[in-house]
């Protein structure tokens, strides 16, 4: 069987991990839909490529290593599989009359995470707890309350040992990561866009790990990841607004370089300092075009790295098609051109992200893409809760 470009990417480095940036609960339906669209359009048959990535009936046989979810993605899973969740909600409501509608909503959110974790558990078990994690995110409405987030994180991880808890890149969230590492709870920092945040997270995770080791805490199922939200960093209007104010015109290529540059700098620092945390690239976008061909630098430029690449379903589709027949070569150690860095550094937004001292912890919470993304996550959590509450009230009417 011919190896796909995605598998070639995964094989560039023995520690490269390909993750699915959506709930595993939608994987089968997405796969069938994609293959049907390909067949209808006389496109290439990519069924074997997707089978090699992840087979829901034999999870450990593929090279998929994990999954990331957040509130919007949990809401998507709830909506796409609503009939079965509506039935579950009705059962939970009748079995627990003491639960408020909001409590039922939270329990439903946990059930979405539990079912996803179950789908990846064979990978977790077969790999000796190294792979097979699914990320479940704490309530974004708690992003400035360390104690509340830690309590919720412990609760989420207690559902299944392969649930890695997503904590926000706020000052309070990073402090929470240290406490969770000290308890042996695996975490993934989200809402991260700057080298300062990513380094602070790595330091916090290592400090917590040392505390755990000193107390003899079991760390066999502990991991720490740090997510750079590439597209959300590059797409925010503030970057072009500040560039225009500085007299700098940024092309699509410049913007893609901006995210790549921040990620690569943080990656080098992590490697040089020997941090326990693993860099994770997320929020990927298509582009730019080179020689008339569509490229996806958010994957290509990190090829060969000791990194996690969590990929939206639509980006998996684009990559398989755009790079079909290509053998992917390592690019992680290739530097960003000096002239590009010089141009980007004229924009304060980029300097804040690129310089290790570009932000203080007190400034993390107000960085424009963090604010915008957190608002989106909060809305999705509110919408998730509202849909479940309506179902609960229907049962109790």
């Amino acid at each position: 069987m011919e190896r796909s470009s995605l598998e070639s990417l995964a094989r560039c480095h023995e520690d490269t991990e390909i993750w699915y940036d959506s709930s595993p609960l939608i994987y089968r339906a997405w796969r069938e839909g994609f293959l049907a669209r390909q067949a209808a359009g006389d496109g290439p048959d990519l069924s074997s490529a997707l089978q090699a990535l992840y087979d829901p009936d034999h999870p450990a046989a593929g090279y998929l290593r994990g999954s990331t979810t957040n509130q919007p993605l949990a809401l998507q899973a709830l909506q796409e599989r609503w009939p079965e969740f509506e039935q579950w909600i009705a059962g939970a409501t009748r079995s627990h009359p003491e639960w408020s509608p909001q409590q039922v909503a939270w329990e439903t959110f946990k059930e979405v995470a539990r079912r996803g974790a179950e789908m990846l558990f064979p990978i977790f078990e077969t790999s000796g707890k190294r792979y097979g994690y699914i990320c479940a995110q704490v309530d974004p409405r708690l992003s400035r309350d360390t104690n509340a987030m830690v309590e919720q994180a412990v609760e989420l991880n207690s559902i299944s040992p392969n649930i890695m808890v997503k904590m926000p890149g706020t000052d309070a969230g990073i402090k929470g990561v240290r406490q969770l590492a000290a308890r042996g709870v695996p975490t993934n920092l989200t809402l991260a866009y700057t080298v300062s945040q990513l380094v602070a997270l790595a330091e916090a995770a290592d400090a917590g790990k040392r505390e755990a080791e000193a107390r003899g805490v079991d760390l066999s199922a502990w991991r720490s990841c740090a997510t750079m939200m590439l597209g959300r960093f590059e797409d925010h209007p503030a970057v072009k607004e500040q560039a225009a104010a500085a007299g700098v015109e940024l092309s699509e290529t410049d913007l893609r370089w901006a995210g790549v540059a921040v990620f690569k700098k943080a990656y080098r620092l992590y490697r040089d300092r020997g941090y326990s945390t693993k860099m994770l690239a997320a929020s990927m976008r298509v582009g730019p075009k080179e020689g008339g061909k569509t490229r996806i630098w958010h994957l290509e430029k990190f090829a060969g790295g000791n990194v996690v690449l969590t990929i939206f379903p639509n980006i998996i589709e684009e990559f398989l098609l755009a790079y079909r027949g290509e053998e992917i070569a390592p690019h992680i150690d290739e530097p960003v051109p000096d002239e590009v860095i010089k141009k980007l550094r004229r924009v304060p937004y980029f300097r804040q992200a690129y310089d290790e001292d570009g932000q203080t912890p007190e400034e993390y919470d107000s960085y424009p893409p963090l604010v915008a993304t957190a608002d989106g996550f909060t809305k999705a959590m509110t919408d998730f809760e509202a849909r479940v509450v309506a179902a609960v009230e229907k049962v109790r009417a």
Side-chain angles (χ1 to χ4, degrees):
M1 184 175 64
E2 179 185 352
R3 187 165 72 174
S4 72
S5 55
L6 188 62
E7 187 170 359
S8 175
L9 174 69
R11 306 303 182 199
C12 270
H13 190 289
E14 63 180 358
D15 291 318
T16 296
E17 299 179 43
I18 304 297
W19 288 23
Y20 187 60
D21 197 3
S22 282
S23 171
L25 300 181
I26 73 161
Y27 182 88
R28 195 185 296 270
W30 162 72
R31 182 185 66 182
E32 292 173 358
F34 175 45
L35 295 177
R37 292 194 301 275
Q38 285 298 109
D42 294 324
D45 182 2
L46 296 169
S47 55
S48 60
L50 296 181
Q51 187 81 358
L53 171 65
Y54 177 69
D55 178 359
D57 296 322
H58 304 283
Y63 62 91
L64 188 77
R65 292 292 178 258
S67 170
T68 46
T69 72
N70 52 32
Q71 271 64 29
L73 296 176
L75 176 61
Q76 179 189 22
L78 180 78
Q79 292 170 333
E80 291 197 15
R81 297 180 63 163
W82 178 247
E84 61 190 83
F85 278 112
E86 185 178 33
Q87 184 177 8
W88 187 90
I89 291 163
T93 300
R94 294 187 182 102
S95 299
H96 296 277
E98 75 280 9
W99 284 356
S100 69
Q102 290 73 24
Q103 179 65 29
V104 177
W106 175 243
E107 295 298 330
T108 306
F109 183 83
K110 288 164 57 179
E111 179 65 10
V112 172
R114 187 197 66 77
R115 294 185 186 191
E118 185 176 58
M119 291 182 68
L120 298 183
F121 197 80
I123 304 172
F124 181 76
E125 199 169 38
T126 301
S127 67
K129 305 179 184 179
R130 184 177 183 184
Y131 305 125
Y133 288 86
I134 183 172
C135 295
Q137 189 164 315
V138 296
D139 191 328
R141 295 170 294 192
L142 303 175
S143 65
R144 289 169 176 79
D145 188 334
T146 297
N147 292 335
M149 285 190 289
V150 167
E151 181 180 350
Q152 201 172 76
V154 171
E155 182 181 357
L156 286 169
N157 178 247
S158 70
I159 299 169
S160 181
N162 67 322
I163 289 182
M164 177 182 285
V165 182
K166 267 190 172 179
M167 295 287 283
T170 57
D171 184 31
I174 291 172
K175 289 174 179 174
V177 167
R178 176 172 180 161
Q179 294 185 28
L180 291 167
R183 299 186 187 200
V185 175
T187 58
N188 177 18
L189 190 76
T190 187
L191 299 177
Y193 312 88
T194 73
V195 171
S196 176
Q197 281 178 292
L198 294 166
V199 168
L201 174 280
E203 294 282 357
D206 275 5
K209 181 186 177 186
R210 289 192 295 271
E211 292 175 30
E213 290 170 337
R215 299 205 315 270
V217 173
D218 180 10
L219 293 174
S220 62
W222 178 79
R223 286 192 64 180
S224 173
C225 290
T227 295
M228 167 68 185
M229 304 192 81
L230 295 152
R232 292 181 182 272
F233 167 70
E234 299 163 1
D235 293 349
H236 196 279
V239 62
K240 285 194 172 182
E241 291 168 2
Q242 292 186 21
V248 178
E249 184 176 347
L250 296 178
S251 65
E252 180 193 16
T253 300
D254 293 327
L255 291 171
R256 293 294 168 261
W257 273 130
V260 168
V262 172
F263 187 95
K264 285 197 171 195
K265 182 172 182 178
Y267 176 79
R268 289 195 305 273
L269 292 173
Y270 273 42
R271 183 175 57 189
D272 294 347
R273 296 174 184 177
Y275 290 136
S276 302
T277 298
K278 192 164 187 173
M279 288 283 296
L280 185 152
S283 182
M284 296 169 178
R285 303 290 187 263
V286 174
K289 285 189 177 291
E290 292 182 299
K293 294 181 66 175
T294 296
R295 302 285 84 181
I296 303 175
W297 280 5
H298 289 165
L299 290 171
E300 181 182 344
K301 295 299 184 184
F302 308 137
N306 179 10
V307 296
V308 177
L309 303 171
T310 190
I311 315 174
F312 287 134
N314 69 301
I315 300 296
I316 293 176
E317 296 177 17
E318 293 278 1
F319 191 81
L320 287 171
L321 294 170
Y323 290 78
R324 186 165 179 256
E326 294 187 33
E327 188 71 19
I328 309 302
H331 293 283
I332 189 67
D333 291 322
E334 293 177 358
V336 178
D338 289 340
E339 63 271 17
V340 173
I341 296 294
K342 184 177 179 180
K343 181 180 182 179
L344 291 169
R345 285 191 60 81
R346 293 172 60 191
V347 183
Y349 178 95
F350 178 77
R351 293 199 303 272
Q352 274 187 287
Y354 189 73
D355 293 347
E356 188 173 349
D357 60 354
Q359 288 183 314
T360 64
E362 293 74 26
E363 293 173 320
Y364 298 158
D365 298 17
S366 59
Y367 194 53
L370 187 149
V371 173
T373 309
D375 286 347
F377 287 176
T378 295
K379 182 181 184 306
M381 188 75 233
T382 301
D383 291 346
F384 187 106
E385 187 174 88
R387 179 147 197 186
V388 176
V389 166
V392 171
E393 291 175 345
K394 182 179 177 181
V395 172
R396 290 179 174 171

